[in-house]
Amino acid sequence: MKNDASLVIERGLKVLANERREAILRAVERQGSITVKALAEEMGVSAVTLRQDVRELAGQGLLNRVHGGATVLNRPHGGAAAPAPDAPAPAPTDAPAPVPASAAAPVPAGEKYSVGLVVPPGGYYYAEVIRGVQNAARARGVRVVLTVSGESLAENQEQVRQLVAGGIDSLLLMLHPGLRPLDEAEQWLSTLEVPAVLVERRAGIRAGRLEQVASDHAYGAALAVRHLAGLGHDKVALVARIESPNTALLSAGHAEAVKAMGLTPGPEFLISTTGDAAPADARFEEVVRAVESGEVRAALVHNDIDAIALVGILRARGRRVPEDLALVTYDDEVAELSDVPLTAVAPPKQAVGAWALDLAVRRLSDPATPLAEILLRPELRVRASCGADRRSDA
């Protein structure tokens, strides 16, 4: 049972919430429509608290919730309320102006929340995460508003500002991988006005109350090393794109697995595929020479496109996969389409998107729920390129 002190606090909080919601209803009735951000500043409460109040009032049928604010119940958006026949003219007020129609389209029927999704440009990797968000949002009755992130911190800040001004309730952030400076980016993330989930990205403690969902890429790299070691390879090379945000994690997982299994440390080949990078043959020349010399007989390659290119270059030089190089790729988007189907570590991309959307909805439904940082483990899909099929037939 609750003690007397708890009951007093609980009743006090209910009184405050009721007074706040009555003030919202008065403001909506007086002005026709309100913006959450402006009214929250006027009342001295957080925008998150006021959005929750608006949702509760809309659920009770006391007002219309729109993106960015609320309007009087059953009033056509943008129209003026007809005054009562004997009602006095409303007093002048400096309260927020009505929300413009372009920023305050009504929330579609059946959709409880609106979530902003920020993703980098291009790349099939992100498309799979987006699909996971979409599927989860459809199942949960959530509207997703997508924007493509710019390369600079200032561009990302402006895009998020516009989403928040448009009335989204939460953010899913898969920011541009090269965002710098990192400390300023994390400081900005700690000041966001709405709950946010970082997607397939990691941030430090400076990012504040930011939640995170990502694939455990270090575990995925270790999974590949363990698999190749189980096939008899005592040295496993790593080939990865230098500009990928996942390369550092793959390198850490690769090194940890090598150490834990007592293997000979394999070389790391960092290649570049951006800007004026050399053609494919030149990019992989160092790797090919290591295979030709017998220094490298097994490798983890990030990603599928590079792995398929490497297979073709080796074939042109008279080398074969898996006979001369046992290969595992990291991605598994098109690995099975290689001439030699590629064994692959597959990050759970759609699941990452679904978990991120679920975290956002949980936070909006219950702001007091504990903050979460979730790592989802990739899985290994064995095909021909690692030599496992030849070993099993022996």
Side-chain angles (χ1 to χ4, degrees):
M1 292 180 63
K2 296 179 180 178
N3 59 34
D4 291 343
S6 297
L7 290 172
V8 168
I9 292 171
E10 185 177 296
R11 288 168 185 157
L13 291 174
K14 286 182 179 178
V15 169
L16 289 174
N18 289 338
E19 290 178 350
R20 198 171 57 241
R21 291 168 187 175
E22 288 175 6
I24 294 170
L25 290 173
R26 287 196 300 270
V28 170
E29 185 62 35
R30 183 174 67 246
Q31 298 158 218
S33 64
I34 55 96
T35 63
V36 165
K37 183 176 180 181
L39 190 56
E41 291 175 357
E42 180 181 317
M43 294 173 63
V45 299
S46 72
V48 173
T49 297
L50 205 66
R51 284 191 183 91
Q52 184 65 36
D53 290 335
V54 168
R55 278 193 292 269
E56 292 291 336
L57 292 169
Q60 296 171 28
L62 299 175
L63 50 71
N64 286 322
R65 178 176 172 241
V66 297
H67 290 304
T71 63
V72 173
L73 190 65
N74 296 329
R75 180 179 300 168
H77 179 67
D86 300 323
T93 177
D94 57 359
V99 184
S102 60
V107 177
E111 291 182 346
K112 186 176 182 181
Y113 301 118
S114 177
V115 173
L117 173 60
V118 181
V119 301
Y124 53 66
Y125 191 104
Y126 305 123
E128 286 299 296
V129 178
I130 294 169
R131 187 169 294 113
V133 172
Q134 281 182 303
N135 291 340
R138 193 176 296 115
R140 300 294 293 269
V142 173
R143 179 172 183 254
V144 175
V145 181
L146 177 70
T147 186
V148 178
S149 70
E151 295 186 4
S152 72
L153 177 57
E155 289 174 308
N156 282 265
Q157 289 171 323
E158 176 59 21
Q159 287 161 328
V160 167
R161 187 197 67 77
Q162 291 180 14
L163 284 170
V164 174
I168 57 94
D169 300 302
S170 181
L171 287 163
L172 304 182
L173 302 174
M174 192 159 40
L175 302 173
H176 196 282
L179 210 56
R180 293 292 185 273
L182 186 59
D183 57 342
E184 290 185 17
E186 290 191 352
Q187 176 60 34
W188 163 60
L189 291 172
S190 72
T191 65
L192 295 175
E193 299 177 22
V194 298
V197 180
L198 202 58
V199 184
E200 280 294 24
R201 300 287 185 266
R202 310 288 290 279
I205 59 174
R206 286 174 296 191
R209 293 181 59 79
L210 195 70
E211 299 190 269
Q212 304 180 45
V213 181
S215 301
D216 191 343
H217 298 299
Y219 174 87
L223 196 62
V225 172
R226 289 199 298 270
H227 177 69
L228 289 167
L231 295 175
H233 297 283
D234 63 357
K235 183 165 68 173
V236 179
L238 173 65
V239 182
R241 294 193 178 196
I242 195 169
E243 66 271 11
S244 169
N246 299 329
T247 292
L249 295 168
L250 293 173
S251 178
H254 172 269
E256 184 178 351
V258 166
K259 182 178 179 180
M261 300 190 71
L263 305 179
T264 301
E268 287 192 12
F269 302 96
L270 299 181
I271 62 172
S272 178
T273 57
T274 59
D276 298 323
D281 286 19
R283 288 202 304 270
F284 291 105
E285 181 61 31
E286 192 177 359
V287 183
V288 173
R289 286 202 306 267
V291 173
E292 289 176 331
S293 69
E295 178 191 359
V296 170
R297 300 295 305 275
L300 168 62
V301 182
H302 174 48
N303 55 33
D304 291 0
I305 297 299
D306 292 337
I308 290 172
L310 179 58
V311 170
I313 295 167
L314 287 170
R315 170 175 287 181
R317 299 276 282 264
R319 303 292 170 173
R320 298 173 299 166
V321 172
E323 290 83 357
D324 297 304
L325 179 69
L327 188 153
V328 176
T329 182
Y330 194 91
D331 213 3
D332 203 32
E333 285 295 336
V334 293
E336 198 169 12
L337 302 181
S338 174
D339 184 46
V340 179
L342 303 179
T343 294
V345 176
K349 302 169 191 174
Q350 290 198 32
V352 166
W355 273 82
L357 191 282
D358 187 64
L359 271 187
V361 171
R362 286 171 183 265
R363 174 70 43 203
L364 292 169
S365 302
D366 181 9
T369 193
L371 294 168
E373 181 176 340
I374 298 172
L375 285 178
L376 302 180
R377 289 185 167 181
E379 65 174 297
L380 181 74
R381 297 169 181 169
V382 178
R383 301 187 183 102
S385 68
C386 64
D389 55 343
R390 293 188 305 121
R391 184 183 176 91
S392 62
D393 293 340

